[in-house]
């Protein structure tokens, strides 16, 4: 049961967040001068006149008065009940003067007719106040962790601090932009580009807008990193998982609302939502960092271990540091290079079909390099997330993480860096659509397939196959800057090809998947049902490949290849269903790779001829 201090701390934090969400309403509706004087609404009149702007501004002041009362009570109650806890006592006491300072700055904002610098200072103190009261609420509610690895806990806590710090800087720059007015807020009207470029010509109003978007990208990566780490820590905390997930959800919503601000030309509803989500993101970031540090304080020290890095993860067998060559090889293997080659098979033919011939060799190289880095990013993060089951499966025990050739934290960091590089490289060297599609493939493979579907449903590879089909879209977008019907048919071909291809492999290693608790179709439904599904999907694949013929106006080379190789695929799947054998499933798996390569080679050749 919560104590009276905890109840007051939560109430104070909640009302403070509402206060600044109402502040966003004031800014979005242009009600900052709805009350012309302070603390009165009008000279000689405390209450508003009844106009919309005056009521909105007065409601903001009413919430401010309520927060003043709550913070005063919080400081007094902390002195009475929590005097022996300095980490809670002093922030509780500090919240009251912060509110008073906020009120004084609010008066200055009104007196200076919304001067941008005073508006920004007003928001700085607002961030400090929110951080203070949210910290008190989170710290008072955080129970002591039952042991745990202090090094790993502190490593995660430091990450949450970095995330909160970059997020705070992002919000400050955003506040300055809002305070400067529409001329700055709409400096670029082609979101996510900036005057058609990823890096604009800097100077004047373009500089803060560019800085805002750079900080937004950095904060998004950090928030995503925190969420992944929270969900995959060896000693998982539900509080950390919920806060980290909530923070990412708020951030994604904030990105969408930020785009809406540009496309709606700063409509009030978009501005209000942008400020409201900013406040929620900041409160969540502070709460997350508070809980993380609270858990790290009570974690135990496992003692020195030369085979453990700063995150508490094993580096190796302690026999000595790996050589530079071994380290490079381990990082290279994290990217799953064989899978990358398979993905790129679909990229170049899609580019050639989009171009109606051979595109620029430099464009092809740039797309392949960027796509390879993106695929490597997804694969590295996948290995980080699956390191526990990889250690249980014979097929995967020699991967870098189960073999302790790379620490999990470094593998995750490597994956995130590759993801950022791939997006920036493709945006600059190719176009933003291709970069965004590649980024969406990373996100889908990591969050939808690896973190959700893979361990929860036998349909994991059916839905998850969408990530592997995206390179065809990337190739088309690289040439045209758009997406058209033929691109989506190419996507559908790879999407439908993936289940029979992978299930043929999964049948060979069903024992591994069963031992690891992964619900692949052969484990859940058995081999007979898997073979039946492979045959049905081979029929669907055959029909999908024929669909490209009229949609993309393909020639006889493609048609003959699709019918010939597709017919063999269907025949092999039928034989496997009727006369099952381990050799037959393995042969079908190997043929499926040859089939995909031949089909897309026919696409390329048809486009040339």
């Amino acid at each position: 049961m919560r104590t009276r201090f905890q109840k007051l701390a939560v109430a104070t934090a909640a009302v403070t967040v509402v206060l600044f969400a109402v502040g966003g309403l004031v800014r979005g509706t242009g009600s900052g001068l709805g009350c012309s004087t302070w603390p009165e609404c009008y000279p000689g009149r405390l209450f508003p006149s009844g106009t919309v702007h005056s009521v909105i501004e007065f409601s903001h002041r009413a919430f401010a008065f309520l927060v003043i009362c709550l913070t005063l009570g919080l400081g007094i109650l902390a002195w009475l009940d929590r005097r022996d806890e300095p980490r809670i006592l002093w922030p509780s006491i500090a919240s009251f003067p912060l509110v008073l300072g906020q009120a004084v700055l609010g008066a200055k904002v009104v007196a200076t007719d919304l001067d941008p610098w005073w508006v920004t200072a007003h928001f700085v103190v607002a961030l400090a106040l929110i951080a203070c009261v949210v910290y008190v609420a989170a710290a008072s509610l955080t129970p002591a962790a039952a042991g745990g690895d202090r090094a790993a806990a502190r490593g995660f806590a430091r990450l949450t601090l970095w995330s909160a710090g970059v997020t705070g800087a992002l919000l400050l720059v955003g506040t300055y932009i809002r305070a400067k007015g529409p001329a700055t807020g709409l400096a670029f009207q082609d979101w996510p580009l900036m005057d058609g470029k990823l890096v604009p010509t800097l100077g004047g109003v373009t500089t803060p807008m560019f800085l805002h978007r750079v900080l937004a990208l950095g904060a998004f990566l950090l928030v995503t990193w925190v969420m992944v780490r929270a969900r995959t820590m060896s000693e998982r905390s539900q509080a950390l998982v919920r806060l980290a997930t909530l923070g990412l959800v708020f951030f994604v919503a904030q990105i969408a609302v930020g785009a809406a601000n540009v496309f709606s030309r700063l409509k009030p509803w978009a501005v209000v939502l942008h400020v409201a989500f900013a406040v929620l993101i900041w409160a969540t970031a502070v709460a997350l960092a508070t809980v993380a540090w609270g858990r790290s304080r009570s974690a135990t020290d496992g003692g020195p271990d030369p085979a453990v890095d700063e995150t508490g993860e094993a580096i190796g067998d302690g026999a000595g540091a790996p050589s530079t060559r071994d380290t490079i090889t381990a990082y290279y293997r994290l990217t799953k290079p064989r899978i990358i080659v398979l993905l790129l098979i679909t990229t170049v033919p899609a580019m050639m079909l989009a171009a109606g011939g051979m595109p620029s060799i430099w464009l092809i190289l740039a797309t392949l390099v960027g796509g390879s880095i993106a695929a490597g990013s997804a694969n590295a993060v996948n290995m980080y997330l699956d390191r526990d089951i990889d250690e249980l499966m014979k097929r995967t025990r020699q991967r870098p993480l189960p073999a302790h050739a790379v620490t999990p934290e470094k593998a995750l960091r490597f994956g995130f860096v590759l993801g950022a590089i791939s997006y920036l490289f493709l945006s600059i060297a190719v176009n933003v659509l291709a970069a965004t599609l590649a980024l969406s493939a990373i996100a889908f493979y990591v969050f939808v397939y690896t973190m959700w579907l893979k361990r929860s449903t036998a349909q994991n590879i059916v839905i998850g196959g969408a990530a592997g089909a995206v390179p065809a879209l990337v190739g088309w977008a690289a040439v045209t800057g758009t997406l058209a019907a033929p691109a989506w048919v190419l996507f559908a071909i790879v999407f439908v090809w993936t289940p029979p291809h992978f299930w043929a492999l999964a049948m060979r290693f069903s024992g591994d998947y069963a031992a690891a608790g992964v619900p692949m179709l052969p484990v859940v439904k058995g081999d007979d049902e898997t073979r039946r599904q492979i045959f049905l999907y081979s029929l669907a694949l055959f029909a999908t490949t024929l669909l490209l013929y009229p949609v993309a106006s393909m020639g006889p080379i493609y048609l003959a290849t699709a019918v010939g190789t597709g017919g063999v695929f269907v025949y092999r799947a039928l034989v496997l269903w009727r006369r099952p054998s381990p050799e037959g499933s393995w042969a079908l798996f190997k043929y499926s790779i040859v089939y995909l390569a031949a089909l897309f080679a026919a696409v390329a050749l048809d486009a040339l001829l």
Side-chain angles (χ1 to χ4, degrees), residues 248-337:
L248 181 59
V249 169
F250 285 153
F251 211 103
V252 171
Q254 179 74 324
I255 292 173
V257 172
N261 270 265
V262 176
F263 297 140
S264 70
R265 299 187 63 82
L266 301 179
K267 290 290 185 182
W269 65 266
V271 175
V272 171
L273 285 177
H274 204 48
V275 175
F277 277 120
V279 173
L280 290 172
I281 289 168
W282 176 241
T284 305
V286 172
L288 180 62
T290 303
V291 175
W293 276 105
R295 290 178 59 82
S296 71
R297 284 163 55 90
S298 53
T300 58
D301 191 348
D305 184 350
V308 172
D309 77 346
E310 71 276 4
T311 69
E313 301 284 0
I315 295 176
D317 58 7
S323 66
T324 301
R325 180 178 179 180
D326 290 341
T327 301
I328 293 174
T329 301
Y331 278 105
Y332 174 72
R333 290 176 59 210
L334 278 176
T335 64
K336 299 183 184 179

Side-chain angles (χ1 to χ4, degrees), residues 455-480:
R455 307 190 192 208
S456 61
T457 174
Q459 296 299 307
N460 46 25
I461 201 64
V462 176
I463 305 170
V470 170
L473 299 180
V474 173
W476 189 280
V479 174
T480 66

Side-chain angles (χ1 to χ4, degrees), residues 524-545:
V524 177
K525 298 293 186 178
D527 286 354
D528 288 344
E529 176 62 18
T530 302
R531 285 189 286 266
R532 188 179 78 88
Q533 290 292 329
I534 288 175
F535 173 67
L536 294 177
Y537 268 90
S538 70
L539 292 175
L541 175 62
F542 184 79
T544 306
T545 59

Side-chain angles (χ1 to χ4, degrees), residues 338-582:
R338 291 182 180 178
I339 295 180
I340 291 177
V341 172
L342 188 60
L343 294 175
L344 296 182
I345 286 175
T346 64
T347 304
V348 176
M351 296 180 71
M352 296 173 68
L353 183 60
M358 180 64 70
S360 161
I361 189 65
W362 296 112
L363 180 62
I364 293 177
L365 289 175
T367 306
L368 291 181
V369 169
S372 297
I373 297 173
S377 166
N379 290 330
V381 178
N382 168 266
M383 282 203 185
Y384 168 83
L385 295 170
D386 281 351
R387 64 190 186 279
D388 57 335
I389 60 177
D390 282 349
E391 198 162 1
L392 298 174
M393 297 171 61
K394 295 178 182 179
R395 182 172 67 91
T396 56
R397 283 176 185 168
Q398 297 307 311
R399 285 178 174 176
L401 290 178
H404 304 304
V406 179
T407 66
E409 172 64 14
K410 290 178 180 177
L412 180 61
R413 188 181 304 144
F414 178 64
F416 268 77
V417 170
L418 287 183
I421 290 174
S422 70
Y423 180 79
L424 293 173
F425 178 81
L426 285 171
S427 295
I428 295 171
V430 184
N431 59 57
V432 172
L433 178 58
T436 303
L437 288 169
L439 186 63
S440 71
I442 297 174
F444 193 91
Y445 187 64
V446 170
F447 297 114
V448 178
Y449 172 67
T450 306
M451 296 184 69
W452 176 29
L453 297 172
K454 185 171 184 177
R455 307 190 192 208
S456 61
T457 174
Q459 296 299 307
N460 46 25
I461 201 64
V462 176
I463 305 170
V470 170
L473 299 180
V474 173
W476 189 280
V479 174
T480 66
T482 61
L483 292 176
W488 289 109
V489 176
L490 292 174
F491 172 91
I493 289 172
V494 182
F495 180 76
V496 180
W497 166 87
T498 302
H501 160 75
F502 195 87
W503 284 333
L505 174 68
M507 289 175 62
R508 184 180 179 92
F509 298 101
S510 59
D512 272 358
Y513 287 117
V518 180
M520 287 297 173
L521 189 63
V523 177
V524 177
K525 298 293 186 178
D527 286 354
D528 288 344
E529 176 62 18
T530 302
R531 285 189 286 266
R532 188 179 78 88
Q533 290 292 329
I534 288 175
F535 173 67
L536 294 177
Y537 268 90
S538 70
L539 292 175
L541 175 62
F542 184 79
T544 306
T545 59
L546 295 182
L547 182 62
L548 186 65
Y549 180 74
V551 170
S553 301
M554 303 301 294
I557 294 177
Y558 173 79
L559 182 61
T561 304
V563 172
T565 59
V568 172
F569 196 114
V570 171
Y571 174 74
R572 284 173 173 258
L574 178 61
V575 170
L576 178 63
W577 183 25
R578 295 304 186 188
R579 298 197 295 272
S581 69

Side-chain angles (χ1 to χ4, degrees), residues 126-283:
L127 292 182
L129 174 60
I130 292 172
C132 190
V133 295
V134 170
Y135 167 81
V136 171
S140 67
L141 292 172
T142 302
D149 189 325
R150 179 176 296 176
R154 288 192 173 179
F156 179 76
R158 283 192 294 269
L159 180 60
T160 63
L161 278 183
W162 273 104
S163 177
V166 176
T167 299
L170 167 66
L171 299 184
L172 289 177
V173 175
T175 300
Y176 177 77
I177 290 171
R178 282 196 306 275
K180 290 288 286 183
T184 303
L186 295 175
F188 306 115
Q189 300 182 35
D190 53 346
W191 190 95
L193 296 177
M194 290 164 276
D195 287 340
K197 296 180 289 187
L198 193 66
V199 180
T201 302
L202 300 181
V205 296
T206 65
T207 301
M209 279 300 299
F210 176 68
L211 177 61
H212 184 254
R213 295 196 182 181
V214 170
L215 288 172
L217 176 61
F220 176 70
L221 290 174
L222 284 170
V223 169
T224 305
W225 190 344
V226 167
M227 193 277 288
V228 173
R229 283 288 310 278
R231 286 181 169 272
T232 55
M233 293 175 69
S234 57
E235 293 161 0
R236 179 165 160 167
S237 162
Q238 287 302 316
L240 293 178
V241 170
R242 289 169 185 159
L243 286 170
T245 304
L246 192 62
L248 181 59
V249 169
F250 285 153
F251 211 103
V252 171
Q254 179 74 324
I255 292 173
V257 172
N261 270 265
V262 176
F263 297 140
S264 70
R265 299 187 63 82
L266 301 179
K267 290 290 185 182
W269 65 266
V271 175
V272 171
L273 285 177
H274 204 48
V275 175
F277 277 120
V279 173
L280 290 172
I281 289 168
W282 176 241

